[in-house]
Amino acid sequence: MEINEIRVLKKYEFHHGAITRQTVSNINSVFGIQVATNATVALWFKKFHSGDFDLSNEPLGRHKIQVHNDVLKATVEVNSRKSARELSLMYNVSKQTILTHLAQIGKVKKLDKWIPHKLTDAQKEEAFLSRNKAEPFLNQIVTCYE
């Protein structure tokens, strides 16, 4: 079944006054698989209600980038303890978008902070020692039997 043929069926059901669920049920009962979904039928019915009965695809294009990696990197460097959820609310994008951009700039979440994915030896040592200052743990390490 071609996609254009399914659109013709949606248009037919719309002209007969069917509701979204009824249309989905009618189409899927004939073809035995989930050819139509509530979401797509609702979108097409909305288009038909506006008077547009053209069945061709409208080019979707790519969304404009709403988060620039440089800006996100600067934000994370100022406050590396912000969560991906907080960042997503801050930039008004999805959490997955934030995670994708953080991966692009090489940041990963470790110990509740965004840090570079690859650390130099000096950065590892600094992180290790600064963690010990915040929560002393080195004195708990047993190096020999007492």
Side-chain angles (χ1 to χ4, degrees):
M1 168 124 294
E2 297 273 335
I3 193 82
N4 287 335
E5 294 168 334
I6 297 167
R7 291 178 184 159
V8 170
L9 294 173
K10 292 173 189 174
K11 185 176 177 181
Y12 172 83
E13 292 284 334
F14 174 80
H15 283 301
H16 276 321
I19 61 173
T20 302
R21 286 189 201 146
Q22 183 182 4
T23 301
V24 171
S25 177
N26 290 346
I27 293 172
N28 290 340
S29 67
V30 171
F31 297 103
I33 56 173
Q34 191 176 2
V35 172
T37 64
N38 285 327
T40 57
V41 172
L43 285 172
W44 281 99
F45 276 21
K46 183 178 179 182
K47 183 177 177 177
F48 296 152
H49 275 294
S50 71
D52 184 2
F53 293 100
D54 181 23
L55 298 178
S56 61
N57 266 345
E58 295 176 8
L60 296 175
R62 294 190 76 188
H63 294 291
K64 292 181 182 176
I65 295 176
Q66 296 175 339
V67 179
H68 293 284
N69 289 346
D70 298 336
V71 175
L72 182 61
K73 186 175 183 179
T75 302
V76 170
E77 286 175 358
V78 168
N79 186 355
S80 62
R81 294 206 180 270
K82 283 195 180 288
S83 68
R85 179 168 165 68
E86 290 172 326
L87 291 168
S88 71
L89 293 172
M90 179 186 227
Y91 289 105
N92 197 24
V93 295
S94 72
K95 180 180 167 186
Q96 186 57 50
T97 300
I98 292 294
L99 292 173
T100 301
H101 284 278
L102 286 168
Q104 289 173 356
I105 61 175
K107 297 285 187 181
V108 293
K109 190 88 166 188
K110 297 285 183 187
L111 300 173
D112 205 30
K113 288 176 71 176
W114 292 105
I115 61 170
H117 184 66
K118 298 210 182 236
L119 294 175
T120 64
D121 288 337
Q123 288 172 323
K124 288 178 189 176
E125 186 177 319
E126 179 187 340
F128 183 74
L129 294 175
S130 65
R131 180 167 176 224
N132 186 53
K133 286 179 186 174
E135 299 173 33
F137 64 92
L138 289 176
N139 60 356
Q140 298 173 4
I141 298 174
V142 177
T143 56
C144 64
Y145 295 105
E146 293 183 9

